[in-house]
């Protein structure tokens, strides 16, 4: 059984640029949720993808978008980066729309300068 | 709106001490509550999951309790070790797999 993986590990971007982060879900899981964790804060829910459809969204603007692929891996895209987007981005995989325990990946550290 | 609070924000204890971390929430309509550990700059490791119908869960030196009526959960760590040093986060789910997190308690266990 493979765990949740994320790429890249670290990323530095300039304000106004666009970024794509990737997540591979744990084997057998069909749901991926994305979270943003600012320094010293708890993670904040961005959105969830279940069977390739968005299945819930937190209080984030439309420039945060995502995709889920047939193999249930997922991408998080952020357009028009702002300094406040600097954070650790975490993905979590689970069963059937988030039932039960959620398993987190190691995260991608995004720095916007 | 659900709010999750963790107290204290930081805690420093000598090795071997038993300790309790607290998590409180404002809305008792939850599906489950999960405790996580986070090492600096790293992802989250799930420690314990308590379903809303359960009162507690145990794993090794860890015991988590849930009291929905009072909106509280505690994580008890027995015989703390320096390797337990990390940030501990509680998160609750109200449906749809969306987790609502507290801000965490940063634990330091001194040798």
């Amino acid at each position: 059984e493979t765990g949740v993986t994320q790429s890249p590990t670290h990323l530095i971007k300039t304000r106004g640029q666009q970024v794509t982060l990737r997540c591979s879900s744990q084997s057998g899981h069909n749901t991926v949720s994305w979270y943003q964790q600012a320094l010293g804060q708890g993670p904040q829910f961005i959105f969830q993808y279940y069977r390739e459809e968005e299945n819930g969204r937190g209080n984030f603007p439309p420039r945060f978008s995502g995709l889920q692929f047939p193999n249930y891996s997922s991408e998080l895209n952020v357009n028009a980066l702002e300094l406040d987007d600097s954070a650790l981005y975490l993905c979590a995989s689970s069963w059937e729309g988030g039932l039960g325990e959620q398993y987190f990946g190691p995260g991608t550290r995004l720095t916007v300068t | 709106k659900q709010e999750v609070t963790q107290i204290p924000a930081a805690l420093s204890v000598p090795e071997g001490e038993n300790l309790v971390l607290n998590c409180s929430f404002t809305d008792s309509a939850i599906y489950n509550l999960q405790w996580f550990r986070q090492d600096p700059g790293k992802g989250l490791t799930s420690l314990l999951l308590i379903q809303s119908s359960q009162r507690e869960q145990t794993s090794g030196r860890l015991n988590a309790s849930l009291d929905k009526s009072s909106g509280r959960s505690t994580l008890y760590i027995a015989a703390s070790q320096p390797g337990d040093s990390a940030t501990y986060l509680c998160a609750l789910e109200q449906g749809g797999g969306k987790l609502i997190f507290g801000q965490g308690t940063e634990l330091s266990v001194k040798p």
Side-chain angles (χ1 to χ4, degrees), chain B residues 56-109:
Chain B
E56 65 178 332
Q57 283 285 339
T58 298
S59 176
R61 295 182 294 108
L62 306 179
N63 175 277
S65 68
L66 174 63
D67 184 345
K68 287 200 305 178
S69 62
S70 66
R72 293 181 184 276
S73 175
T74 61
L75 178 67
Y76 174 82
I77 303 176
S80 58
Q81 304 170 357
D84 295 330
S85 298
T87 295
Y88 291 81
L89 293 151
C90 70
L92 51 88
E93 187 201 336
Q94 290 189 291
K98 170 187 172 181
L99 294 180
I100 302 171
F101 284 84
Q103 291 191 313
T105 293
E106 185 178 355
L107 174 65
S108 175
V109 181

Side-chain angles (χ1 to χ4, degrees), chain B residues 13-71:
Chain B
V13 300
E15 182 177 3
E17 192 161 299
N18 301 326
L19 58 99
V20 174
L21 306 181
N22 296 294
C23 173
S24 62
F25 47 94
T26 55
D27 185 347
S28 62
I30 65 172
Y31 280 80
N32 60 55
L33 186 145
Q34 204 166 348
W35 282 93
F36 293 90
R37 168 186 172 136
Q38 186 174 33
D39 292 294
K42 304 295 185 182
L44 308 182
T45 300
S46 179
L47 298 174
L48 291 164
L49 172 74
I50 310 176
Q51 300 288 354
S52 63
S53 59
Q54 298 174 320
R55 296 284 295 189
E56 65 178 332
Q57 283 285 339
T58 298
S59 176
R61 295 182 294 108
L62 306 179
N63 175 277
S65 68
L66 174 63
D67 184 345
K68 287 200 305 178
S69 62
S70 66

Side-chain angles (χ1 to χ4, degrees), chain A residues 75-97:
Chain A
E75 286 183 354
L76 164 65
N77 299 291
V78 187
N79 293 323
L81 283 167
E82 301 177 0
L83 296 179
D84 285 349
D85 295 333
S86 295
L88 181 67
Y89 287 85
L90 298 162
C91 76
S93 78
S94 56
W95 286 103
E96 298 298 319

